[in-house]
Amino acid sequence: KAVVSTQSGHYGRGNIIPIIAKSDTVSKSELDTFKANIMEELRDNDVEIYTFPTDDETVAEVNKDMNEMMPFAVVGSREDVKVGETTVRGREYPWGVVEIENEQHCDFVKLREMLIRTNMEDLREVTHRKHYELYRRGKLKQMGITDDGAHPVSLQETYEQKRAEHLEELQRIENEMRQNFVNKVREKDLELKRNEKELAAKYEGLRKENNEEKKRLDEERKKLDDDLA
């Protein structure tokens, strides 16, 4: 289940080629059983793996054999080990040496041949034709664009179009915010002018009242002076 969980996370994003790491930790019979169990589990969970093409007669037979060999049992090492008079890359144990590039010990050489020399071009083609197309259509779908395959839509052109629309929308929002700000400033300015007029009118009213009161008081004082005289 760990194998299915790990590979399902990458499903649809790239080519899946199952391998068994540290395959020197199990016996030959256990390894064969383990391989069979892994492939059965992948099939039961509908995990699609990459299969080497068999439509080319020059590689059909070897690719068919390699497809049946999956998952590849590999051993890794960064150590150089002395075997007789030869130095090899491998892992040394008390009971002997596991050679990385010995096909009797693991499938590393077969895997390397299949990936780098025999099927590199097919891997690139499948990646572009299948996985990139799934990614591209998925991204277009997120943008609300449907690509039926009959009229392919360029992801770059769509991105540029969406970017232009987004920038246009941002500009519209900026203009709207600027206009709202100008309107609010204008309203505040009108309110301040209105308040200023009200204060000026109130001041003028108070000034007139004060002058009239002063005039009345002056008249009363003059009258009082006249009466005293």
Side-chain angles (χ1 to χ4, degrees), residues 39-212:
M39 296 305 293
E40 181 179 359
E41 191 172 341
L42 291 174
R43 285 192 295 269
D44 290 345
N45 288 275
D46 297 323
V47 177
E48 184 179 350
I49 64 175
Y50 173 78
T51 55
F52 301 117
T54 56
D55 52 351
D56 185 347
E57 294 182 358
T58 59
V59 295
E61 186 174 350
V62 65
N63 277 351
K64 181 176 180 296
D65 292 338
M66 293 302 101
N67 285 331
E68 294 174 354
M69 185 177 288
M70 288 191 194
F72 292 96
V74 298
V75 180
S77 176
R78 292 182 294 179
E79 303 293 332
D80 290 329
V81 182
K82 197 78 171 179
V83 178
E85 297 298 322
T86 307
T87 300
V88 298
R89 185 63 60 86
R91 300 176 68 89
E92 188 171 12
Y93 295 97
W95 44 263
V97 175
V98 176
E99 299 177 30
I100 305 305
E101 297 188 355
N102 188 328
E103 294 187 29
Q104 299 300 317
H105 293 182
C106 72
D107 300 331
F108 175 80
V109 173
K110 294 185 178 68
L111 178 61
R112 183 180 62 189
E113 291 288 321
M114 290 297 98
L115 295 182
I116 299 177
R117 297 183 181 177
T118 308
N119 299 293
M120 174 65 78
E121 192 59 37
D122 184 71
L123 277 164
R124 293 174 59 185
E125 177 65 22
V126 171
T127 299
H128 177 77
R129 186 182 70 252
K130 181 179 180 181
H131 301 296
Y132 172 72
E133 277 300 303
L134 286 174
Y135 167 81
R136 186 181 67 83
R137 293 185 185 184
K139 287 297 182 181
L140 290 174
K141 187 175 181 180
Q142 290 178 6
M143 298 177 182
I145 301 173
T146 302
D147 183 0
D148 56 7
H151 303 88
V153 180
S154 169
L155 186 58
Q156 181 65 28
E157 291 178 2
T158 303
Y159 168 77
E160 293 296 338
Q161 177 185 346
K162 289 293 181 180
R163 182 174 181 275
E165 292 174 358
H166 179 65
L167 292 176
E168 183 179 347
E169 177 65 13
L170 288 178
Q171 186 63 46
R172 185 191 66 78
I173 293 174
E174 182 181 348
N175 292 339
E176 185 177 317
M177 292 176 65
R178 184 181 291 109
Q179 187 60 45
N180 288 337
F181 177 75
V182 170
N183 291 339
K184 288 183 178 180
V185 170
R186 185 181 293 116
E187 290 175 2
K188 194 66 177 178
D189 186 56
L190 291 174
E191 182 181 353
L192 289 173
K193 289 181 178 179
R194 187 166 54 249
N195 291 338
E196 184 179 354
K197 287 182 179 179
E198 291 176 358
L199 287 173
K202 185 179 291 186
Y203 170 78
E204 184 64 23
L206 291 173
R207 190 181 67 79
K208 286 182 178 180
E209 289 180 4
N210 183 65
N211 288 339
E212 289 175 358

Side-chain angles (χ1 to χ4, degrees), residues 14-29:
N15 297 302
I16 296 177
I17 300 177
I19 66 172
I20 299 173
K22 299 182 179 180
S23 61
D24 55 333
T25 58
V26 295
S27 66
K28 177 63 176 175
S29 59

